[in-house]
Amino acid sequence: MKLVPTAALAAGAALLAIFPAEAQTTWKPTRPVEFVVTSGAGGGTDVFARTVQAAITKHDLIPTSVVVSNKGGGSGVEGFVYGTGAKGDPHKVIFGTNNAWTLPMVAKVNWKVTDLTPVAIMAFDEFMLWVKQDAPYKTAADLVAAAREKPGSIRMGGSQTHDTDQTLTMLIQRAAGVRFNYIPYRGGGEVGVQLAGGHIEANTNNPSESIGGWRGGQVRPVCVFRREPLPQGGKVTETQGWSDIPTCASQGVAVEEFRMPRTVFLPPGAPAAAQAYWSEVFRKVSETPEWQDYIQRTSQSGRFIGSDEMRGVIQAEETATREVFAAEGWLTN
């Protein structure tokens, strides 16, 4: 066995103390980077990824180019299968939501969230309960009362089955002791159109997907699933802005908070140095004017969560979601 002299070890330790960043962060992209988007073009995750791409390009945050690939088949399964198949490749960055851990619960897939290498949570989508503008339900309590009077008669629209919108609908039912007729559609935009046309009575869209309908006098929010109202901002209609919408808990719907995280991962087995590199890049993105504008336009709650803290958030959210899915009989594994 070849022994390293103590003096040499001491010298090496001294160098690490002087140059900790150089010693620990030795990775950077050496070829074009692929942003793998687990949604179709124009969807919320696609806009998220392209906003990040634009900020990186404008501020020259990485030394190579970035291309965006949309792989939204199977509600995002396609993107995660593709991303997890690139084991150890830090040049593929996977953009998603909580679908990173909900999909393996309800679909037979060959990966689980613990296989992925966490990078960051960038923001949280808020959710609101919406009705048609001329609906007789002035508050969330009115809608719940109608659902209680005629169980299953109120049609609640949402995006996909066994996904975020249906999960929230189940939580509302459990909290209020009512039953809705949940009707899935292909996306939040389509759900908004269906509500505006009177084909459903309510939906659980996020603000960005229904702002046009609210501004146009077709739909209106009755409450937000948040512990406190949204922050003060500009008016959306002539008389109201997002901060004027009461919390759902204050309206008698005891779901204090429901949010969807905007998540970023690397493939399984990505080097720790690459994980640290990308986490720092995304932190810098979160401080750019382009990102702040995106957060404001989409009425999301901006909060950067790095890779270490992200693991804890995922574990807590996965546990809570699994409990709901189990109660509804949705679990496949």
Side-chain angles (χ1 to χ4, degrees):
M1 178 184 294
K2 184 178 180 180
L3 298 179
V4 180
T6 303
L9 290 175
L15 286 173
L16 286 176
I18 298 171
F19 303 112
E22 289 81 356
Q24 297 172 32
T25 307
T26 58
W27 186 90
K28 64 176 57 178
T30 56
R31 63 177 189 268
V33 172
E34 182 179 11
F35 281 3
V36 181
V37 178
T38 59
S39 79
T45 305
D46 180 56
V47 176
F48 165 35
R50 292 180 189 277
T51 300
V52 172
Q53 178 196 36
I56 286 175
T57 301
K58 181 173 181 179
H59 297 281
D60 197 24
L61 297 182
I62 70 172
T64 62
S65 61
V66 176
V67 295
V68 176
S69 298
N70 293 97
K71 298 185 182 297
S75 299
V77 169
E78 178 190 9
F80 285 110
V81 169
Y82 176 79
T84 54
K87 187 174 182 178
D89 184 359
H91 291 86
K92 294 189 188 299
V93 184
I94 308 164
F95 286 73
T97 61
N98 56 354
N99 58 356
W101 52 90
T102 60
L103 285 171
M105 295 183 195
V106 298
K108 293 292 185 181
V109 297
N110 61 354
W111 54 271
K112 53 187 180 296
V113 68
T114 51
D115 295 332
L116 298 165
T117 304
V119 172
I121 293 174
M122 295 287 287
F124 290 87
D125 250 7
E126 306 291 351
F127 279 78
M128 292 183 163
L129 186 59
W130 297 79
V131 299
K132 200 167 181 289
Q133 178 64 43
D134 58 1
Y137 326 110
K138 302 304 179 186
T139 66
D142 291 341
L143 181 67
V144 166
R148 184 173 292 118
E149 183 178 349
K150 295 183 178 181
S153 64
I154 300 296
R155 295 165 296 183
M156 179 75 79
S159 178
Q160 312 291 345
T161 58
H162 300 173
D163 205 347
T164 305
D165 289 349
Q166 191 172 12
T167 301
L168 178 52
T169 299
M170 297 304 106
L171 289 173
I172 297 169
Q173 290 186 156
R174 292 169 62 179
V178 299
R179 180 167 58 86
F180 294 103
N181 178 14
Y182 181 79
I183 301 177
Y185 295 96
R186 289 172 295 184
E190 183 178 353
V191 176
V193 170
Q194 294 297 317
L195 181 60
H199 304 294
I200 53 178
E201 280 72 48
N203 70 29
T204 56
N205 257 353
N206 54 46
S208 64
E209 291 179 322
S210 293
I211 187 171
W214 188 25
R215 187 176 284 134
Q218 300 168 307
V219 301
R220 56 184 169 83
V222 292
C223 67
V224 59
F225 293 96
R226 208 168 184 268
R227 289 189 171 88
E228 62 283 320
L230 286 162
Q232 289 286 339
K235 297 293 183 185
V236 176
T237 68
E238 290 185 1
T239 60
Q240 286 188 305
W242 297 118
S243 61
D244 297 312
I245 308 306
T247 66
C248 294
S250 72
Q251 295 279 295
V253 180
V255 180
E256 286 193 348
E257 184 177 78
F258 189 87
R259 305 180 302 172
M260 183 178 72
R262 296 288 178 190
T263 58
V264 186
F265 296 90
L266 290 175
Q275 180 187 34
Y277 175 89
W278 281 117
S279 188
E280 178 62 12
V281 167
F282 280 89
R283 184 192 64 77
K284 291 177 180 177
V285 168
S286 73
E287 297 171 351
T288 64
E290 291 76 20
W291 181 257
Q292 297 304 318
D293 177 66
Y294 162 77
I295 290 296
Q296 184 174 8
R297 284 188 292 104
T298 56
S299 300
Q300 295 183 74
S301 293
R303 180 189 169 195
F304 178 81
I305 297 175
S307 56
D308 291 340
E309 186 183 354
M310 184 178 176
R311 292 183 186 277
V313 172
I314 291 172
Q315 185 175 20
E317 296 229 353
E318 184 181 23
T319 299
T321 302
R322 183 172 289 276
E323 189 273 329
V324 175
F325 285 11
E328 297 300 326
W330 295 349
L331 293 178
T332 59
N333 53 59

